[in-house]
Amino acid sequence: MSVKTLTINDQLISAHENATILDAAREAGIEIPTLCHVEGLSLIGACRLCLVEIGGSPKLQAACVTQVAEGMVVHTQSERLQSYRRMIIELLFAEGNHVCSVCVSNGHCELQDLAIAHGMDHVRFEYQYPERSVDLSHENFGLDHNRCVLCTRCVRVCDEIEGAHTWDLAGRGHNAHVITGMNQPWGDAQSCTSCGKCVNACPTGAIFYRGSTVGEMEHDRAQLEFIMTAQQKRQWVR
Ligand code: SF4
Ligand code: SF4
Ligand code: FES
């Protein structure tokens, strides 16, 4: 195993050659904001919230999908990065219907936490207010497309951890949305085992337990992490 040495925010750090900048930073106790990333799931680099500056490159890079390199100089905090991150969050709020005060996940939402952490007190872009549906066909769970930020965490956890592959993405650009089964109501998707992993993986109030009312929907990340660690380490194989 080869080790790479780099600096992050002027701190000298050693990391495994296959580590990403995000892994190396977290190992060193340096926090980088993320939204689409979940430890143990495949990397897609979709949300761009983890953008960092790398010495010698004018382009910002996503820390979750960029591998460390020897001598790399990384900065995770700068005015430029802060302003990009805030803009990305504002765009997400402007694009869907994220009215926190009437959301099941109010107070338990990663998007809301990110907005607070980045001082987003207003949105500078025009709200799109698209007309989006709510699917309450599943016996236990509900899906509100209005709250979806297309992070695909549900798609990946259901495919890669549960092995059910109930979720997928359909449409492009403005029309992109998550679908269940063969683009049918979730309750009719026979592949769904009702395991609840997607419910716990969703960062917002898009997937929730039926019957939850405003602020009641809590995500059990600890349960999800436990299952993923057990799968990676094959803890159930004797
Ligand atoms: S409940 Fe489980 S099987 Fe059903 S869609 Fe969610 S992750 Fe997939
Ligand atoms: S439903 Fe939730 S987990 Fe799935 S893509 Fe949308 S926001 Fe992400
Ligand atoms: S967390 Fe890196 S791109 Fe989303």
Side-chain angles (χ1 to χ4, degrees), residues 18-47:
N18 296 326
T20 62
I21 296 174
L22 182 67
D23 297 332
R26 288 197 169 160
E27 187 71 19
I30 299 167
E31 213 19 74
I32 298 175
T34 56
L35 186 59
C36 67
H37 178 266
V38 174
E39 196 70 51
L41 295 185
S42 56
L43 306 169
I44 55 159
C47 74

Side-chain angles (χ1 to χ4, degrees), residues 138 141 154 157-159 162-167 180 186 189 191-199 207:
H138 195 287
F141 316 125
C154 55
V157 81
C158 184
D159 180 32
E162 180 60 7
H165 200 124
T166 300
W167 296 92
T180 41
W186 190 358
S191 56
C192 178
T193 61
S194 300
C195 68
K197 291 186 178 71
C198 56
V199 188
I207 308 181

Side-chain angles (χ1 to χ4, degrees), residues 143 148-154 178 202-204 206-207:
L143 164 66
C148 179
V149 291
L150 294 176
C151 64
T152 73
R153 282 162 57 154
C154 55
V178 286
C202 183
T204 67
I207 308 181

Side-chain angles (χ1 to χ4, degrees), residues 117-138:
H118 290 81
M120 195 202 83
D121 48 11
H122 67 285
V123 171
R124 289 165 294 177
F125 305 100
E126 202 176 323
Y127 286 99
Q128 304 292 304
Y129 289 130
E131 209 175 308
R132 291 183 178 167
S133 61
V134 177
D135 180 351
L136 290 174
S137 58
H138 195 287

